């Protein structure tokens, strides 16, 4: 009876005594070998695997302009600039003797800037000083309806003057009205000229229902630099129903203001305010 094949029947070929067929098979698989003289184990040699070295090449970071000497120069420049800034700041904080005490230069410079800004503001925008001139004040009667009726007169002053209260013209008789002149000395202490266009009522006083309007006698007045000039303002008042004392207070309780005041002819100025002096007396019976 035939025996079944098993692993025991498999023997390794004798590499020293191979026949032609075995030699060809080994050569076809790319395996060549020889017997080690000591161990008798076959030494197998395989072809070396080539690798693409370029795929694993690590590129070096290029040297930029801030590396090396350039970086050192930039650091030195920044350090010098910082030192200069610190030196400037230190000089600004240095004290200067002012009236026996030290004041930082920075504080003095700020003070001078504020002082300069204030000087410019006063020079171009602050109004002049107005003072009452009692000697130039007066009161007179004028037939305001002589050339035109009351209706036409109202129409004309509404279009040309600074009317305060047109309802105060409740009478159609000229005898009911008086023109009171108040005078002010305008003191221009600044080195630039000043122009006054007109005046208006800022506060109507105790008897505002009797005040019609105010107007300056002449057109725009020019006050030269460092000059004082007297300006006269006319006030049209309805005296009907007022006693002599009330007539006086109706004028002296008024507060007037400038209109269209400019410096150098082009720079608008803050309006000036002036109160009529209560030392002035006006006669409602003046002719």
């Amino acid at each position: 009876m035939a025996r079944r094949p098993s692993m025991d029947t498999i023997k390794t070929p004798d590499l020293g005594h191979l026949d032609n067929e075995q030699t060809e098979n080994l050569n076809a698989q790319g395996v060549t070998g020889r017997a080690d003289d000591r161990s008798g184990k076959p030494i197998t040699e395989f072809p070396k695997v080539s690798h693409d070295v370029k795929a694993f090449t690590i590129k070096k970071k290029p040297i930029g302009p801030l590396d090396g000497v350039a970086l050192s120069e930039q650091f030195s420049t920044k350090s010098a600039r910082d030192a200069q800034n610190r030196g400037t700041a230190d000089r600004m904080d240095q004290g200067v003797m002012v009236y026996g005490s030290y004041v930082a230069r920075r504080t003095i410079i700020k003070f001078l800037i504020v002082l300069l800004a204030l000087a410019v503001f006063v020079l171009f925008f602050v109004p002049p000083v107005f003072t009452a001139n009692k000697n130039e004040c007066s009161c007179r009667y004028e037939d305001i309806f002589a050339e035109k009726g009351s209706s036409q007169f109202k129409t004309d002053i509404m279009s040309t003057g600074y009317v305060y209260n047109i309802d105060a013209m409740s009478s159609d008789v000229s005898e009911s009205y008086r023109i009171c002149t108040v005078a002010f000395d305008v003191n221009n202490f600044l080195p630039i000229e000043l122009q006054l266009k007109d005046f208006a009522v800022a506060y109507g006083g105790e008897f505002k229902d009797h005040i019609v309007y105010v107007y300056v006698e002449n057109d725009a007045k020019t006050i030269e630099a460092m000059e004082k000039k007297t300006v006269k303002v006319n006030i049209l008042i309805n005296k009907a129903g007022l006693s002599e004392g009330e007539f006086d207070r109706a004028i002296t309780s008024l507060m007037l203001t400038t209109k269209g005041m400019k410096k150098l002819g082009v720079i608008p100025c803050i309006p000036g305010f002036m109160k009529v002096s209560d030392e002035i007396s006006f006669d409602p019976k003046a002719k």
Side-chain angles (χ1 to χ4, degrees):
M1 184 176 180
R3 296 180 59 184
R4 298 179 63 181
S6 64
M7 294 296 295
D8 296 335
T9 60
I10 300 175
K11 296 182 178 180
T12 58
D14 187 0
L15 295 178
H17 300 81
L18 296 176
D19 55 20
N20 292 334
E21 183 178 355
Q22 290 175 333
T23 302
E24 290 177 359
N25 289 336
L26 290 176
N27 291 335
Q29 295 177 5
V31 179
T32 58
R34 60 182 178 80
D36 192 347
D37 294 340
R38 295 183 180 179
S39 61
K41 295 180 180 180
I43 298 176
T44 306
E45 295 180 0
F46 297 94
K48 296 182 179 180
V49 180
S50 61
H51 298 282
D52 188 2
V53 180
K54 294 182 181 181
F56 298 92
T57 302
I58 299 176
K59 296 181 178 180
K60 295 183 179 179
K61 181 180 178 181
I63 299 177
L66 297 181
D67 292 322
V69 177
L71 182 60
S72 177
E73 291 179 353
Q74 183 180 10
F75 179 77
S76 301
T77 303
K78 184 177 183 302
S79 299
R81 185 169 58 250
D82 292 342
Q84 183 179 2
N85 293 337
R86 286 194 299 272
T88 303
D90 292 341
R91 287 193 297 272
M92 293 292 290
D93 292 329
Q94 289 178 356
V96 177
M97 181 68 71
V98 179
Y99 292 106
S101 60
Y102 285 97
V103 181
R105 292 183 179 179
R106 188 187 307 276
T107 302
I108 295 177
I109 292 175
K110 289 182 179 179
F111 175 76
L112 293 177
I113 292 175
V114 172
L115 192 63
L116 179 61
L118 183 61
V120 172
F121 177 78
V122 171
L123 182 64
F124 292 105
F125 300 104
V126 172
V129 178
F130 294 87
T131 56
N133 187 330
K134 297 181 293 183
N135 299 326
E136 299 291 336
C137 296
S138 63
C139 185
R140 72 182 186 272
Y141 164 75
E142 187 176 298
D143 189 359
I144 59 176
F145 302 139
E147 298 180 358
K148 59 189 73 174
S150 60
S151 298
Q152 185 61 42
F153 184 82
K154 291 179 183 180
T155 302
D156 290 346
I157 64 174
M158 286 291 291
S159 61
T160 59
Y162 294 102
V163 176
Y164 176 70
N165 182 14
I166 194 62
D167 294 334
M169 297 198 71
S170 57
S171 175
D172 295 334
V173 181
S174 295
E175 180 65 29
S176 300
Y177 301 93
R178 292 293 183 273
I179 298 175
C180 297
T181 301
V182 294
F184 298 94
D185 291 333
V186 184
N187 300 275
N188 184 16
F189 298 114
L190 301 177
I192 58 177
E193 69 176 23
L194 175 73
Q195 286 186 346
L196 298 173
K197 181 180 180 182
D198 214 330
F199 289 79
V201 176
Y203 171 65
E206 298 179 21
F207 301 95
K208 60 183 180 181
D209 293 338
H210 291 262
I211 305 300
V212 182
Y213 72 100
V214 301
Y215 63 96
V216 67
E217 281 192 350
N218 302 321
D219 293 335
K221 287 185 174 291
T222 300
I223 295 90
E224 301 294 338
M226 311 300 292
E227 183 186 39
K228 181 176 75 172
K229 182 178 288 188
T230 301
V231 178
K232 295 181 179 181
V233 181
N234 293 324
I235 304 169
L236 181 63
I237 179 173
N238 184 352
K239 73 180 186 65
L242 296 176
S243 65
E244 291 188 12
E246 290 173 341
F247 184 82
D248 267 347
R249 294 201 306 274
I251 304 299
T252 58
S253 61
L254 286 175
M255 177 72 73
L256 304 181
T257 182
T258 59
K259 286 290 184 180
M261 185 165 59
K262 295 181 179 180
K263 292 187 177 182
L264 297 177
V266 294
I267 304 175
C269 181
I270 297 174
F273 293 87
M274 59 227 73
K275 187 181 183 304
V276 180
S277 174
D278 56 4
E279 297 180 3
I280 305 172
S281 180
F282 298 93
D283 183 8
K285 297 179 182 180
K287 293 295 184 177

